[in-house]
Structures are given as C-alpha cells and as structure tokens.
Amino acid sequence: MLALSRLATGQRLSPASSSNHRRWRAREMVAREGDRPEFLLVITQGWAARVRMLRDGIRQITALYIPGDVCELFWLEESPIAQPIVALSELRGTAVPAAEIRQRTRQETPLRNAILREAQWTAEARSEWLANLARRDSTSRIAHLFCELLARQRAAGLASGNCCDLPLTQHDLADLAGITPIHTNRTLQSLRAEGLIELRGKRLRILDIDRLIAIAGFDERYLFPPDAPRTAEIILSTASEEMADAAA
Amino acid sequence: MLALSRLATGQRLSPASSSNHRRWRAREMVAREGDRPEFLLVITQGWAARVRMLRDGIRQITALYIPGDVCELFWLEESPIAQPIVALSELRGTAVPAAEIRQRTRQETPLRNAILREAQWTAEARSEWLANLARRDSTSRIAHLFCELLARQRAAGLASGNCCDLPLTQHDLADLAGITPIHTNRTLQSLRAEGLIELRGKRLRILDIDRLIAIAGFDERYLFPPDAPRTAEIILSTASEEMADAAA
DNA sequence: CGGACATTTGACGCGTCTCAACAACAGTGG
DNA sequence: CCACTGTTGTTGAGACGCGTCAAATGTCCG
C-alpha cells in the first residue's frame, strides 16, 4: 500500500551488471531492524511487507511491496534499518548495491530528482494511510486497501479488469488494516454479502468498484505523482552498467 | 508530531536575504490543497498543522509544525500541494523561495544530503504514527503525542524540564489522536487522575515521564536521525545570500 | 453584560476485542 | 492410502471502548 515506485506495464527489466537475484520463502525475514542496508531490492515476484512490531506481540504492517516496487528507497541513507521487512509469500527480487546508486546520484540529475520525488510520494501515501487507519471503520479500511491494491497492480500491469492477486492470509490483512483477524473475517463476509467483492484462492475480484471506492473514501491521486518517473526502471537502467565497467 | 527538521537549541536564525517574514492568525489557512508552492516556511513562532479533510467533515491532522520546523520540505517538488496547512495558533515564519533552494541544490552536496535525510525521517515518523493510530487506544495515543511533543520541544530548546507549551484546544488534540473531542476530554481527565500530567493554560507538565513513555510505547529513536543535520539551519544559511547576490 | 467558544458531564448504542471452539485444508511421514 | 499436525478460515457469546446526542458550566473578549 505504501510503496510507490513501480514499473511500466508488464515491462521486463534487464538487471544492472553488478546486481544479483535473490529469493526468500514466505515468512522469511528480508531485513532486520538495526541492520546496515547494502542493497536496494527491486521486487520481481511475490509480496513483502514493512512491519512495526509492538510490545504485546501485535504487528502493524506499514508498507507493502509488490512486483515492480523498490524495497526501501531509504536504504540509500547510511542509517540502520528502522523497521524490518518480511516476505509475505514466495519472494524474488534483484538486489542493486546501494553504494552504486549513491555513486550514480552524484552525476545523474534525473536519478536524484526521481529519488526525491519517490520519497515525497512515499510520505504522501503514508499520511493517507494514517488518516485511513485513524478515522475509518473496519469495512472502510479493508475497502480502501482493496482499492489501492487494485490500482497499484493495474498500474504495474498485473491486473486484468477488476481482478488481481491477493497473496495474503486474513491475518496479513488484519495486520494491514489494524484490526483483529477474527474481525477481518467478519468484515470480508459482509463485503461479500453486499456483492462488492469475490475472494477465492488468493485472487481478488472487485464486483462493484464504484461502490467500493465510495465506501473507502478512496482518492487515487495520492498514489501516482503526475508524470511519475519510474524509479525502479531508472535504478535498474544501463547507467549502472557503465559504472560497473568503469569500476572494473 | 510528524515534522522533523529543527534548529539547534534555542538558536536564532538570520534569514536569507531573499526571504521575508510572514504571519497568520489562528485558524487561518497557510496553504491550500492544489496550490503551487513557491516558498518553504521556517516556523519561528506558533504551531501549524497539516490536515486531511474527510468526506463527513472530519479532519485528521497528519503533521504538526512547531518553531524551528520546516513547513513542507516537499514543496521543493513542483507538484501541487497534497494536503492543506492551517495555523493552530498565532503563527510566524520565514518564507524562503523554493526556487532558490532548488538552485542551491544543484551545487551544494550537503544540502542535497540533508534534504533526502529529512525526507526519510518524515516518512519514518509517519509510519510510527500510523502504527500508533492503528493499534493503540485513546490513552496511549494521547500519551504518545505528549511524549513526542516534549521530546521535540526539548530538542528545539523550547522545553524546561518536563514542561512545555501546548497551544492546542482539546478539539485539535482530538484531530491529532483520531478520536472525538469528548473522548479526548475524558482521556485527559484520566491521565490527570493517574498523576501523569498537568495541563493548564496551554502549558503541559509531565509528572511521570517514565510511566507515560511506557503507556505510550514511545520510542524516541524514530524522531531523531543519528548525527542529524539541522535542515532549517542549512536552508536559512548564508549560502542563499550569496545566491541572491549573484542573481542581482 | 452578552455571545462565542472551550471544557465538562451523563446516558445510550454500536463496533471491535477477547475467549473459546470447530471446520476446512495442505503438507508430512508411515 | 491414510492418520497426523499445523495453518487458515469460520462461528458464537460476552465485555468494553469509543461515538453520538444532549445539555450544563466555564472562560475569554468585545
């Protein structure tokens, strides 16, 4: 929900030469709190989440990464990782060394601009979620989540019509919406009973998108900066190969 | 709560030559949604808030600016303002032309780094608030808010001991905590009855900071990047005068 | 003194959490 | 092939936090 960089529709990316592929199993930790980040991860398959653990074992998901997203733009900074990342499903991605991007940042103005813009929209999306979680009931929260997930997967070329993946358990949904898994279940049932959604086997179909948007108070604008540069694309672009060649 | 740039303790700033002072009355709009931002505002007196208006007239405050903060770092970007800013009290600030800062950004690497780091911590703080609002009850939310406000005012040299300003109505507090003004009142009373706080005449005194931190689940680290550059200070620094001279 | 606004109090209803089961299902090993 | 085990999804009953409506009190300022 909160990660914004994404690729053009369905596009394949050629990884930079110094990048390499990685994979994790579901529930595996991708990054721990306090770690020094050395790579930015461009997700190619599967979903991951940024998690805030609270004292009593409750976890709140504060960002969601889907294919095409850059997992943790802010790992460019030297500071230790603030919140852990965990794989929600089988996960694959391309790791791009942060040092390499930092290096390129000194030369390439478009990259610099793309990063700051990306940072802005990350923050904007979070403040939208903040309002969503603070002020809406469970039905609106889940509806808002579904609206966002469809919109993002559409933008990434991963949705067909009003149908998209949802590789999450009800427990994951609960951690996103800030409610109990049990209440999540009841909320989903009421959405189904209202004829708003279908949800079977990790696939989500939205039956009445207009009504769902109304219930959610969803405003698509916060997701997509006008004339957005595609951060993941820029990060993976050929310039990094030149850098690697120069370094060799 | 969510704005992070701040000045060294109690320090006075000499405004850049092309900057000018501005003031607003309480409740006055500082910036409207959709406006093109032309200035960054370094707050010198009073408090302002970033507001998300929801359909039913409910407002959720998504960021709070106190003296020493930079009001809306992201106004550096060309995109229209995403959420309006409103003065919560009599407000004064120094307006620094965004174009000027953008200009300096091309030359000055430290400024560029400071801005990206500031962006990161803005986003970190928001995700902390997101978890706070999603997962805690009203008592913890208010406690968390008070912990943050004391910490930030301390860092800005605006607190004495466990005592600081709180120029907000209970209605403002409610809009911050995402609860009803009426329930805010009851929550405050229970905090008072527990001997945790004193609150009279726009002044807040925290009587038992340890217990309040425990109730809030407050973790100060999210507020202050290690070895933070002081963004407001850098923005107002003399380099901008040189720029102005060169332009003249 | 009057009027607007902020704070406080009470009664009631609803949404969500908690605790406790149970059913459906997938993966594992015999 | 089936029994075993852990995860996921589902259902019910009771308690509690918070919202809502209504109204009284306090406070600041013209």
Side-chain angles (χ1 to χ4, degrees), chain B residues 93-140:
Chain B
T94 305
V96 184
E100 183 179 306
I101 299 175
R102 263 182 239 122
Q103 177 74 6
R104 289 171 52 198
T105 298
R106 300 204 187 97
Q107 311 287 334
E108 305 170 35
T109 316
L111 177 63
R112 229 159 46 213
N113 292 342
I115 286 172
L116 185 55
R117 177 178 285 241
E118 173 80 10
Q120 171 181 13
W121 288 89
T122 301
E124 298 297 354
R126 259 174 227 183
S127 86
E128 191 66 22
W129 257 81
L130 191 157
N132 185 36
L133 291 172
R135 289 302 193 175
R136 295 195 233 266
D137 64 14
S138 65
T139 307
S140 299

Side-chain angles (χ1 to χ4, degrees), chain A residues 64-84:
Chain A
L64 198 59
Y65 308 94
I66 70 175
D69 287 342
V70 174
C71 179
E72 281 306 295
L73 178 80
F74 292 123
W75 291 350
L76 274 180
E77 294 291 296
E78 309 271 341
S79 39
I81 290 171
Q83 291 177 345

Side-chain angles (χ1 to χ4, degrees), chain A residues 75-153:
Chain A
W75 291 350
L76 274 180
E77 294 291 296
E78 309 271 341
S79 39
I81 290 171
Q83 291 177 345
I85 308 288
V86 59
L88 294 177
S89 65
E90 180 82 18
L91 183 73
R92 292 168 190 238
T94 305
V96 183
E100 181 181 309
I101 299 175
R102 263 183 238 120
Q103 176 75 6
R104 289 171 52 199
T105 298
R106 300 203 188 96
Q107 311 286 334
E108 305 170 33
T109 316
L111 176 61
R112 229 158 49 213
N113 292 342
I115 286 172
L116 185 55
R117 177 178 284 241
E118 173 80 10
Q120 171 180 12
W121 287 90
T122 301
E124 298 296 354
R126 260 174 225 183
S127 85
E128 190 67 21
W129 256 81
L130 191 158
N132 185 36
L133 291 172
R135 290 301 194 172
R136 295 194 234 265
D137 65 13
S138 65
T139 308
S140 298
R141 292 186 192 189
I142 297 285
H144 196 275
L145 182 58
F146 287 166
C147 289
E148 174 173 330
L149 289 178
L150 180 63
R152 284 174 58 186
Q153 293 191 74

Side-chain angles (χ1 to χ4, degrees), chain B residues 27 168-171 181-182 185-186 189 192 202:
Chain B
R27 290 147 182 260
L168 304 176
T169 66
Q170 290 185 2
H171 194 96
I182 294 168
N185 183 296
R186 296 193 227 264
Q189 286 178 48
R192 279 193 273 244
K202 308 299 181 198

